[in-house]
Coordinates of all heavy atoms in Angstrom, one line a residue:
M1454 N -16.9 9.3 -43.3 CA -16.8 9.2 -44.8 C -15.5 8.6 -45.2 O -14.5 9.3 -45.1 CB -17.1 10.5 -45.4 CG -16.9 10.6 -46.9 SD -18.3 9.9 -47.8 CE -19.3 11.3 -47.9
T1455 N -15.5 7.3 -45.6 CA -14.2 6.7 -45.9 C -13.9 6.8 -47.4 O -12.8 6.6 -47.9 CB -14.2 5.2 -45.6 OG1 -15.2 4.6 -46.4 CG2 -14.6 5.0 -44.1
K1456 N -14.9 7.0 -48.2 CA -14.8 7.1 -49.7 C -14.4 5.7 -50.3 O -14.1 5.6 -51.4 CB -13.9 8.2 -50.2 CG -14.4 9.5 -49.7 CD -13.8 10.7 -50.5 CE -14.5 12.0 -50.1 NZ -13.9 13.1 -50.7
D1457 N -14.4 4.7 -49.4 CA -14.2 3.3 -49.8 C -15.5 2.7 -50.4 O -16.5 2.8 -49.7 CB -13.7 2.5 -48.6 CG -13.2 1.1 -49.1 OD1 -13.7 0.5 -50.0 OD2 -12.3 0.6 -48.4
K1458 N -15.5 2.1 -51.6 CA -16.7 1.7 -52.2 C -17.5 0.7 -51.3 O -18.7 0.6 -51.3 CB -16.4 1.1 -53.6 CG -16.3 2.1 -54.6 CD -16.4 1.5 -56.0 CE -16.3 2.6 -57.1 NZ -15.8 2.2 -58.3
K1459 N -16.7 -0.1 -50.6 CA -17.4 -1.1 -49.7 C -18.2 -0.5 -48.6 O -19.1 -1.1 -48.0 CB -16.4 -2.2 -49.2 CG -15.6 -1.7 -48.0 CD -14.8 -2.9 -47.5 CE -13.7 -2.6 -46.5 NZ -14.0 -1.4 -45.6
D1460 N -17.9 0.8 -48.3 CA -18.6 1.5 -47.3 C -19.8 2.3 -47.8 O -20.4 3.1 -47.1 CB -17.7 2.4 -46.5 CG -16.7 1.6 -45.7 OD1 -17.0 0.5 -45.3 OD2 -15.6 2.1 -45.4
W1461 N -20.0 2.2 -49.1 CA -21.1 3.0 -49.7 C -22.4 2.8 -49.1 O -22.8 1.6 -48.9 CB -21.2 2.7 -51.2 CG -22.1 3.5 -52.0 CD1 -22.0 4.8 -52.4 CD2 -23.4 3.0 -52.6 NE1 -23.1 5.1 -53.1 CE2 -23.9 4.1 -53.3 CE3 -24.0 1.8 -52.5 CZ2 -25.2 4.0 -53.9 CZ3 -25.3 1.7 -53.2 CH2 -25.8 2.8 -53.8
K1462 N -23.1 3.8 -48.7 CA -24.4 3.8 -48.0 C -24.3 3.3 -46.6 O -25.4 3.0 -46.0 CB -25.5 3.0 -48.8 CG -26.0 3.8 -50.0 CD -27.3 3.3 -50.4 CE -27.8 4.2 -51.5 NZ -29.1 3.7 -52.0
A1463 N -23.1 3.1 -46.0 CA -23.0 2.7 -44.6 C -22.9 4.0 -43.8 O -22.1 4.8 -44.1 CB -21.8 1.8 -44.4
F1464 N -23.8 4.1 -42.8 CA -23.8 5.3 -41.9 C -24.3 4.9 -40.6 O -24.9 3.9 -40.4 CB -24.5 6.5 -42.5 CG -25.9 6.2 -43.0 CD1 -27.0 6.3 -42.2 CD2 -26.1 5.7 -44.3 CE1 -28.3 6.1 -42.6 CE2 -27.4 5.4 -44.8 CZ -28.5 5.6 -43.9
K1465 N -24.0 5.8 -39.6 CA -24.4 5.6 -38.3 C -25.9 5.6 -38.1 O -26.6 6.5 -38.7 CB -23.8 6.7 -37.4 CG -24.0 6.5 -35.9 CD -23.3 7.6 -35.2 CE -23.7 7.5 -33.7 NZ -23.3 8.7 -32.9
S1466 N -26.5 4.6 -37.4 CA -27.9 4.6 -37.2 C -28.4 5.8 -36.4 O -27.8 6.2 -35.5 CB -28.3 3.3 -36.4 OG -27.7 2.2 -37.0
T1467 N -29.6 6.2 -36.8 CA -30.2 7.4 -36.1 C -30.7 6.9 -34.8 O -31.0 5.8 -34.5 CB -31.3 7.9 -37.0 OG1 -32.0 8.9 -36.3 CG2 -32.4 6.8 -37.2
G1468 N -30.8 7.9 -33.8 CA -31.4 7.6 -32.5 C -32.9 7.4 -32.7 O -33.5 7.9 -33.7
L1469 N -33.5 6.7 -31.8 CA -35.0 6.4 -32.0 C -35.8 7.0 -30.9 O -37.0 6.8 -30.8 CB -35.2 4.9 -31.9 CG -34.5 4.0 -33.1 CD1 -34.8 2.6 -32.9 CD2 -34.9 4.6 -34.4
R1470 N -35.2 7.9 -30.1 CA -36.0 8.6 -29.1 C -37.0 9.6 -29.7 O -36.7 10.2 -30.7 CB -35.1 9.4 -28.1 CG -34.5 8.6 -27.1 CD -33.8 9.4 -26.1 NE -33.2 8.6 -25.1 CZ -32.4 9.1 -24.1 NH1 -32.2 10.4 -24.0 NH2 -31.9 8.3 -23.2
E1471 N -38.2 9.7 -29.0 CA -39.2 10.7 -29.5 C -39.7 10.4 -30.9 O -40.2 11.3 -31.6 CB -38.7 12.1 -29.4 CG -37.9 12.4 -28.2 CD -38.7 13.0 -27.1 OE1 -39.9 12.9 -27.1 OE2 -38.1 13.7 -26.2
L1472 N -39.7 9.1 -31.3 CA -40.1 8.8 -32.6 C -41.6 9.2 -32.9 O -41.9 9.6 -34.1 CB -40.1 7.3 -32.9 CG -38.7 6.7 -33.4 CD1 -38.8 5.2 -33.4 CD2 -38.3 7.3 -34.7
A1473 N -42.4 9.2 -31.9 CA -43.8 9.6 -32.1 C -43.9 11.1 -32.6 O -44.9 11.4 -33.2 CB -44.6 9.5 -30.8
L1474 N -42.8 11.9 -32.4 CA -42.9 13.3 -32.8 C -42.0 13.6 -34.0 O -41.9 14.8 -34.4 CB -42.4 14.1 -31.6 CG -43.0 13.9 -30.2 CD1 -42.3 14.7 -29.1 CD2 -44.5 14.3 -30.3
T1475 N -41.3 12.6 -34.6 CA -40.3 13.0 -35.6 C -40.6 12.5 -37.0 O -39.7 12.4 -37.8 CB -38.9 12.5 -35.1 OG1 -39.0 11.0 -34.9 CG2 -38.5 13.1 -33.8
A1476 N -41.8 12.1 -37.3 CA -42.2 11.8 -38.6 C -41.9 13.0 -39.6 O -42.0 14.1 -39.1 CB -43.6 11.3 -38.7
P1477 N -41.6 12.8 -40.8 CA -41.5 11.5 -41.5 C -40.1 10.9 -41.2 O -39.2 11.5 -40.7 CB -41.6 11.9 -43.0 CG -41.1 13.3 -43.0 CD -41.5 13.9 -41.7
Y1478 N -40.0 9.6 -41.5 CA -38.9 8.8 -41.1 C -37.9 8.5 -42.2 O -38.2 8.6 -43.4 CB -39.4 7.5 -40.5 CG -40.3 7.7 -39.3 CD1 -41.7 7.5 -39.4 CD2 -39.9 8.3 -38.1 CE1 -42.6 7.8 -38.4 CE2 -40.7 8.6 -37.1 CZ -42.1 8.3 -37.2 OH -42.9 8.7 -36.2
M1479 N -36.7 8.1 -41.8 CA -35.5 7.8 -42.6 C -34.9 9.1 -43.0 O -35.4 10.1 -42.9 CB -35.8 6.8 -43.8 CG -36.6 5.6 -43.4 SD -36.1 4.7 -42.0 CE -35.6 3.2 -42.8
H1480 N -33.6 8.9 -43.6 CA -32.8 10.1 -43.9 C -33.5 11.0 -44.9 O -33.3 12.2 -44.9 CB -31.4 9.7 -44.4 CG -31.5 9.0 -45.7 ND1 -31.8 7.7 -45.8 CD2 -31.2 9.5 -46.9 CE1 -31.8 7.4 -47.1 NE2 -31.4 8.4 -47.8
N1481 N -34.4 10.4 -45.7 CA -35.0 11.2 -46.8 C -36.5 11.4 -46.5 O -37.2 11.9 -47.4 CB -34.8 10.5 -48.1 CG -35.2 9.1 -48.1 OD1 -35.7 8.6 -47.1 ND2 -35.1 8.4 -49.2
G1482 N -37.0 11.0 -45.3 CA -38.4 11.2 -45.0 C -39.4 10.4 -45.8 O -40.5 10.8 -46.0
V1483 N -38.9 9.3 -46.3 CA -39.7 8.5 -47.3 C -41.0 7.9 -46.7 O -41.9 7.7 -47.3 CB -38.9 7.5 -48.0 CG1 -38.4 6.4 -47.1 CG2 -39.6 6.9 -49.2
F1484 N -40.9 7.6 -45.3 CA -42.0 7.0 -44.7 C -42.8 7.9 -43.7 O -42.1 8.5 -42.8 CB -41.5 5.7 -43.9 CG -40.9 4.7 -44.8 CD1 -39.7 4.2 -44.5 CD2 -41.6 4.2 -45.9 CE1 -39.1 3.2 -45.3 CE2 -41.1 3.2 -46.7 CZ -39.8 2.7 -46.4
E1485 N -44.1 8.0 -43.9 CA -44.9 8.9 -43.1 C -45.2 8.3 -41.7 O -45.4 9.0 -40.7 CB -46.2 9.1 -43.8 CG -46.2 10.0 -45.0 CD -45.8 11.4 -44.7 OE1 -46.1 11.9 -43.6 OE2 -45.2 12.1 -45.6
T1486 N -45.2 7.0 -41.6 CA -45.7 6.3 -40.3 C -44.7 5.2 -39.9 O -43.9 4.7 -40.8 CB -47.1 5.7 -40.5 OG1 -46.9 4.6 -41.4 CG2 -48.1 6.7 -41.0
I1487 N -44.7 4.9 -38.6 CA -43.9 3.7 -38.1 C -44.4 2.4 -38.8 O -43.6 1.6 -39.1 CB -44.0 3.6 -36.6 CG1 -43.4 4.9 -36.0 CG2 -43.4 2.4 -36.1 CD1 -41.9 4.9 -36.1
D1488 N -45.7 2.3 -39.1 CA -46.2 1.1 -39.8 C -45.4 1.0 -41.1 O -45.1 -0.2 -41.5 CB -47.7 1.3 -40.1 CG -48.5 1.1 -38.9 OD1 -48.3 0.2 -38.1 OD2 -49.5 2.0 -38.7
D1489 N -45.2 2.1 -41.8 CA -44.5 2.0 -43.1 C -43.1 1.5 -42.9 O -42.6 0.7 -43.6 CB -44.4 3.4 -43.7 CG -45.7 4.0 -44.1 OD1 -46.7 3.2 -44.3 OD2 -45.8 5.2 -44.3
V1490 N -42.4 2.0 -41.8 CA -41.0 1.6 -41.5 C -41.0 0.1 -41.2 O -40.2 -0.7 -41.7 CB -40.4 2.4 -40.4 CG1 -39.0 1.9 -40.1 CG2 -40.4 3.9 -40.7
V1491 N -41.9 -0.3 -40.3 CA -41.9 -1.7 -39.9 C -42.2 -2.6 -41.1 O -41.6 -3.7 -41.2 CB -43.0 -2.0 -38.7 CG1 -43.2 -3.4 -38.5 CG2 -42.5 -1.2 -37.5
E1492 N -43.1 -2.2 -41.9 CA -43.4 -3.0 -43.1 C -42.2 -3.1 -44.0 O -41.9 -4.2 -44.6 CB -44.6 -2.4 -43.9 CG -45.4 -3.3 -44.7 CD -45.9 -4.6 -43.9 OE1 -46.6 -4.5 -42.9 OE2 -45.4 -5.7 -44.3
F1493 N -41.5 -2.0 -44.2 CA -40.2 -2.0 -45.0 C -39.2 -3.0 -44.4 O -38.6 -3.8 -45.1 CB -39.7 -0.6 -45.0 CG -38.4 -0.4 -45.6 CD1 -38.3 -0.4 -47.0 CD2 -37.2 -0.1 -44.9 CE1 -37.0 -0.2 -47.7 CE2 -36.0 0.1 -45.5 CZ -35.9 0.1 -46.9
L1494 N -39.0 -2.9 -43.1 CA -38.0 -3.8 -42.4 C -38.5 -5.3 -42.5 O -37.7 -6.2 -42.6 CB -37.8 -3.4 -41.0 CG -37.2 -2.0 -40.8 CD1 -37.3 -1.5 -39.4 CD2 -35.7 -2.1 -41.2
N1495 N -39.8 -5.5 -42.4 CA -40.4 -6.8 -42.4 C -40.1 -7.5 -43.8 O -39.9 -8.7 -43.9 CB -41.9 -6.8 -42.2 CG -42.5 -8.2 -41.9 OD1 -41.8 -9.0 -41.3 ND2 -43.6 -8.4 -42.5
K1496 N -40.0 -6.7 -44.8 CA -39.7 -7.2 -46.1 C -38.2 -7.4 -46.3 O -37.7 -7.8 -47.4 CB -40.2 -6.3 -47.2 CG -41.7 -6.3 -47.3 CD -42.2 -5.4 -48.4 CE -43.7 -5.4 -48.4 NZ -44.3 -4.1 -48.8
G1497 N -37.4 -7.0 -45.3 CA -35.9 -7.2 -45.4 C -35.2 -5.9 -45.9 O -34.0 -5.9 -46.2
G1498 N -36.0 -4.8 -45.9 CA -35.4 -3.5 -46.2 C -35.2 -3.3 -47.7 O -35.8 -4.1 -48.5
G1499 N -34.5 -2.3 -48.1 CA -34.3 -1.9 -49.5 C -33.4 -2.9 -50.3 O -32.9 -3.8 -49.7
D1500 N -33.3 -2.7 -51.5 CA -32.5 -3.6 -52.4 C -31.2 -2.9 -52.8 O -31.1 -2.5 -54.0 CB -33.4 -3.9 -53.6 CG -32.9 -5.2 -54.3 OD1 -32.1 -5.9 -53.7 OD2 -33.3 -5.5 -55.4
D1501 N -30.3 -2.8 -51.9 CA -29.0 -2.2 -52.3 C -27.9 -3.2 -52.4 O -27.9 -4.2 -51.8 CB -28.6 -1.2 -51.1 CG -29.3 0.1 -51.2 OD1 -29.3 0.7 -52.3 OD2 -29.9 0.5 -50.2
K1502 N -27.0 -2.9 -53.4 CA -25.9 -3.9 -53.7 C -25.0 -4.2 -52.4 O -24.5 -5.2 -52.3 CB -25.1 -3.5 -54.9 CG -24.4 -2.2 -54.7 CD -23.6 -1.8 -56.0 CE -23.0 -0.4 -55.8 NZ -22.3 0.1 -56.9
N1503 N -24.9 -3.2 -51.5 CA -24.1 -3.4 -50.4 C -24.8 -3.9 -49.1 O -24.3 -3.9 -48.0 CB -23.4 -2.1 -50.0 CG -22.1 -1.9 -50.7 OD1 -21.8 -2.6 -51.7 ND2 -21.3 -0.9 -50.3
K1504 N -26.1 -4.3 -49.3 CA -26.9 -4.7 -48.2 C -26.4 -6.0 -47.6 O -26.0 -6.9 -48.3 CB -28.4 -4.9 -48.6 CG -29.3 -5.1 -47.4 CD -30.7 -5.0 -47.8 CE -31.2 -6.4 -48.2 NZ -32.7 -6.4 -48.3
S1505 N -26.3 -6.0 -46.2 CA -25.8 -7.2 -45.5 C -26.8 -8.4 -45.8 O -28.1 -8.2 -45.7 CB -25.8 -6.9 -44.0 OG -25.6 -8.2 -43.3
P1506 N -26.3 -9.6 -46.0 CA -27.2 -10.7 -46.1 C -28.0 -11.0 -44.8 O -29.0 -11.8 -44.8 CB -26.3 -11.9 -46.4 CG -24.9 -11.4 -46.2 CD -24.9 -9.9 -46.2
L1507 N -27.5 -10.4 -43.7 CA -28.2 -10.6 -42.4 C -29.6 -9.9 -42.5 O -30.5 -10.2 -41.7 CB -27.4 -10.0 -41.3 CG -26.1 -10.7 -41.0 CD1 -25.3 -10.0 -39.9 CD2 -26.4 -12.2 -40.6
L1508 N -29.7 -8.9 -43.4 CA -31.0 -8.1 -43.4 C -32.0 -8.8 -44.4 O -32.1 -8.5 -45.5 CB -30.8 -6.7 -43.9 CG -29.9 -5.9 -42.9 CD1 -29.7 -4.5 -43.4 CD2 -30.6 -5.8 -41.5
A1509 N -32.6 -9.9 -43.8 CA -33.5 -10.7 -44.6 C -34.9 -10.5 -44.2 O -35.2 -9.8 -43.2 CB -33.2 -12.2 -44.4
P1510 N -35.9 -10.9 -45.0 CA -37.3 -10.7 -44.6 C -37.6 -11.4 -43.2 O -37.0 -12.4 -42.8 CB -38.1 -11.5 -45.6 CG -37.2 -11.4 -46.8 CD -35.8 -11.5 -46.3
L1511 N -38.4 -10.7 -42.4 CA -38.6 -11.1 -41.0 C -39.9 -12.0 -40.8 O -40.0 -12.8 -39.9 CB -38.8 -9.9 -40.1 CG -37.6 -9.0 -40.1 CD1 -37.9 -7.7 -39.3 CD2 -36.3 -9.7 -39.6
N1512 N -40.8 -11.9 -41.8 CA -42.0 -12.7 -41.7 C -42.8 -12.5 -40.4 O -43.2 -13.5 -39.7 CB -41.8 -14.2 -42.0 CG -41.1 -14.4 -43.3 OD1 -41.6 -13.9 -44.3 ND2 -40.1 -15.2 -43.4
L1513 N -42.9 -11.3 -39.9 CA -43.5 -11.0 -38.6 C -45.1 -11.2 -38.8 O -45.6 -10.9 -39.8 CB -43.2 -9.6 -38.2 CG -41.8 -9.2 -38.0 CD1 -41.6 -7.7 -37.7 CD2 -41.2 -10.1 -36.9
T1514 N -45.7 -11.6 -37.7 CA -47.1 -11.7 -37.7 C -47.7 -10.2 -37.5 O -46.9 -9.3 -37.1 CB -47.6 -12.5 -36.5 OG1 -47.3 -11.9 -35.3 CG2 -47.1 -13.9 -36.6
K1515 N -49.0 -10.1 -37.7 CA -49.6 -8.8 -37.4 C -49.4 -8.3 -36.0 O -49.1 -7.2 -35.7 CB -51.1 -9.0 -37.7 CG -51.9 -7.7 -37.8 CD -53.4 -8.0 -38.2 CE -54.2 -6.8 -37.9 NZ -55.6 -7.1 -37.9
E1516 N -49.5 -9.3 -35.0 CA -49.3 -8.9 -33.6 C -47.9 -8.5 -33.4 O -47.6 -7.5 -32.6 CB -49.6 -10.1 -32.7 CG -51.1 -10.5 -32.6 CD -51.7 -11.1 -33.9 OE1 -50.9 -11.7 -34.7 OE2 -52.9 -10.9 -34.1
E1517 N -46.9 -9.2 -34.0 CA -45.5 -8.8 -33.8 C -45.2 -7.4 -34.4 O -44.5 -6.6 -33.8 CB -44.6 -9.8 -34.4 CG -44.6 -11.1 -33.6 CD -43.9 -12.3 -34.4 OE1 -43.9 -12.3 -35.7 OE2 -43.3 -13.2 -33.7
K1518 N -45.8 -7.1 -35.5 CA -45.6 -5.8 -36.1 C -46.2 -4.7 -35.2 O -45.6 -3.6 -35.0 CB -46.2 -5.8 -37.5 CG -45.4 -6.5 -38.5 CD -45.9 -6.3 -39.9 CE -46.9 -7.3 -40.4 NZ -47.3 -7.2 -41.8
Q1519 N -47.4 -5.0 -34.7 CA -48.0 -4.0 -33.8 C -47.2 -3.8 -32.5 O -47.1 -2.7 -32.0 CB -49.4 -4.5 -33.4 CG -50.4 -4.2 -34.5 CD -51.8 -4.7 -34.2 OE1 -52.0 -5.4 -33.3 NE2 -52.8 -4.4 -35.1
A1520 N -46.6 -4.9 -32.0 CA -45.8 -4.8 -30.8 C -44.5 -3.9 -31.1 O -44.1 -3.1 -30.3 CB -45.4 -6.2 -30.3
L1521 N -43.9 -4.1 -32.3 CA -42.8 -3.3 -32.6 C -43.1 -1.9 -32.8 O -42.4 -1.0 -32.3 CB -42.2 -3.8 -34.0 CG -41.0 -4.7 -34.0 CD1 -40.6 -5.0 -35.4 CD2 -39.9 -4.1 -33.2
K1522 N -44.3 -1.6 -33.4 CA -44.7 -0.2 -33.5 C -44.9 0.4 -32.2 O -44.5 1.5 -31.9 CB -46.0 -0.2 -34.3 CG -46.7 1.2 -34.4 CD -48.1 1.1 -35.0 CE -48.8 2.4 -35.1 NZ -50.1 2.2 -35.7
R1523 N -45.6 -0.3 -31.3 CA -45.9 0.2 -29.9 C -44.6 0.5 -29.2 O -44.4 1.5 -28.5 CB -46.8 -0.7 -29.1 CG -48.3 -0.6 -29.5 CD -49.2 -1.2 -28.4 NE -49.0 -2.6 -28.3 CZ -49.6 -3.6 -29.1 NH1 -50.5 -3.2 -29.9 NH2 -49.4 -4.8 -28.9
F1524 N -43.6 -0.4 -29.4 CA -42.3 -0.2 -28.7 C -41.7 1.1 -29.3 O -41.2 1.9 -28.5 CB -41.4 -1.4 -29.0 CG -40.0 -1.2 -28.6 CD1 -39.6 -1.1 -27.3 CD2 -39.0 -1.0 -29.6 CE1 -38.3 -0.8 -26.9 CE2 -37.7 -0.7 -29.3 CZ -37.3 -0.6 -27.9
C1525 N -41.6 1.2 -30.6 CA -41.0 2.4 -31.2 C -41.7 3.7 -30.7 O -41.0 4.6 -30.4 CB -41.2 2.4 -32.8 SG -40.1 1.2 -33.6
L1526 N -43.0 3.7 -30.6 CA -43.7 4.9 -30.2 C -43.6 5.1 -28.7 O -44.0 6.2 -28.2 CB -45.2 4.8 -30.7 CG -45.3 4.8 -32.2 CD1 -46.8 4.7 -32.6 CD2 -44.7 6.1 -32.8
S1527 N -43.1 4.2 -28.0 CA -42.9 4.3 -26.5 C -41.6 5.0 -26.1 O -41.4 5.4 -25.0 CB -43.0 3.0 -25.8 OG -41.8 2.3 -26.0
L1528 N -40.7 5.1 -27.1 CA -39.4 5.6 -26.8 C -39.3 7.1 -26.5 O -40.0 7.8 -27.1 CB -38.4 5.2 -27.9 CG -38.3 3.7 -28.2 CD1 -37.5 3.5 -29.5 CD2 -37.6 3.0 -27.0
Ligands
HEM1087 C1 -37.3 -4.7 -36.8 C2 -36.3 -4.1 -36.3 C3 -36.0 -2.6 -36.5 C4 -36.9 -1.6 -36.2 C5 -38.3 -1.6 -35.5 C6 -36.2 -0.3 -36.6 C7 -36.7 0.9 -36.5 C8 -36.2 2.0 -37.1 C9 -36.9 3.3 -37.3 C10 -38.3 3.6 -36.8 C11 -36.1 4.1 -38.1 C12 -36.4 5.5 -38.5 C13 -35.8 6.5 -37.6 C14 -36.0 7.9 -38.0 O1 -36.1 8.2 -39.2 O2 -36.1 8.8 -37.1 C15 -34.9 3.3 -38.4 C16 -33.9 3.8 -39.1 C17 -32.7 3.1 -39.3 N1 -32.4 1.9 -38.8 FE1 -33.6 0.6 -37.9 N2 -35.0 -0.7 -37.1 C18 -34.8 -2.0 -37.1 C19 -33.7 -2.8 -37.5 C20 -32.5 -2.2 -37.9 C21 -31.3 -3.0 -38.2 C22 -31.2 -4.5 -38.1 C23 -30.4 -2.1 -38.6 C24 -28.9 -2.3 -38.9 C25 -28.3 -3.4 -39.0 C26 -31.0 -0.8 -38.6 C27 -30.4 0.4 -38.9 C28 -31.1 1.6 -39.2 C29 -30.5 2.7 -39.9 C30 -29.1 2.8 -40.5 C31 -31.5 3.7 -40.0 C32 -31.5 5.0 -40.7 C33 -32.0 4.8 -42.1 C34 -32.2 6.1 -42.9 O3 -32.1 7.2 -42.3 O4 -32.4 6.1 -44.1 N3 -32.3 -0.9 -38.1 N4 -35.0 2.1 -37.8

């Protein structure tokens, strides 16, 4: 916690092991399923003023989203 405004909402990424057993997801449990998380990321994530421009929409195909989900649930 730096209390520097530029670091607002910046925090260490959570581990992804055992994701199949740890729903709901994100720090506030906002997503019930991995599909919800993948859809959120596919849209480029949330709309925060400090969000990196690197976090842009991914435009994944249905197959790519399914592959990501299967990967997440395999961990
Ligand atoms: C398509 C690629 C990605 C996938 C499939 C993915 C997957 C996930 C999943 C499943 C979670 C929820 C974990 C949980 O609640 O137990 C998560 C959270 C998180 N991911 Fe990713 N992620 C991706 C890209 C990224 C990128 C590019 C970053 C950072 C540059 C990132 C940073 C984070 C952070 C900080 C959280 C915690 C968010 C919170 O608790 O609110 N992820 N990710």
Side-chain angles (χ1 to χ4, degrees):
M1454 171 78 86
T1455 66
K1456 301 201 174 174
D1457 188 328
K1458 276 193 179 155
K1459 77 173 171 33
D1460 292 334
W1461 184 73
K1462 285 202 175 179
F1464 50 92
K1465 189 178 173 194
S1466 309
T1467 178
L1469 298 181
R1470 278 191 182 174
E1471 317 266 21
L1472 272 177
L1474 308 174
T1475 59
Y1478 304 106
M1479 312 311 246
H1480 66 282
N1481 52 1
V1483 67
F1484 296 128
E1485 290 292 332
T1486 67
I1487 293 293
D1488 288 315
D1489 296 337
V1490 180
V1491 169
E1492 208 49 64
F1493 175 73
L1494 295 166
N1495 191 40
K1496 288 180 183 148
D1500 199 14
D1501 281 310
K1502 60 182 177 184
N1503 273 12
K1504 188 170 90 167
S1505 165
L1507 295 173
L1508 294 178
L1511 301 173
N1512 301 314
L1513 300 175
T1514 64
K1515 193 176 164 194
E1516 287 73 26
E1517 288 169 330
K1518 287 190 268 186
Q1519 279 174 355
L1521 259 183
K1522 174 188 176 179
R1523 281 197 294 272
F1524 169 72
C1525 286
L1526 294 176
S1527 74
L1528 297 170

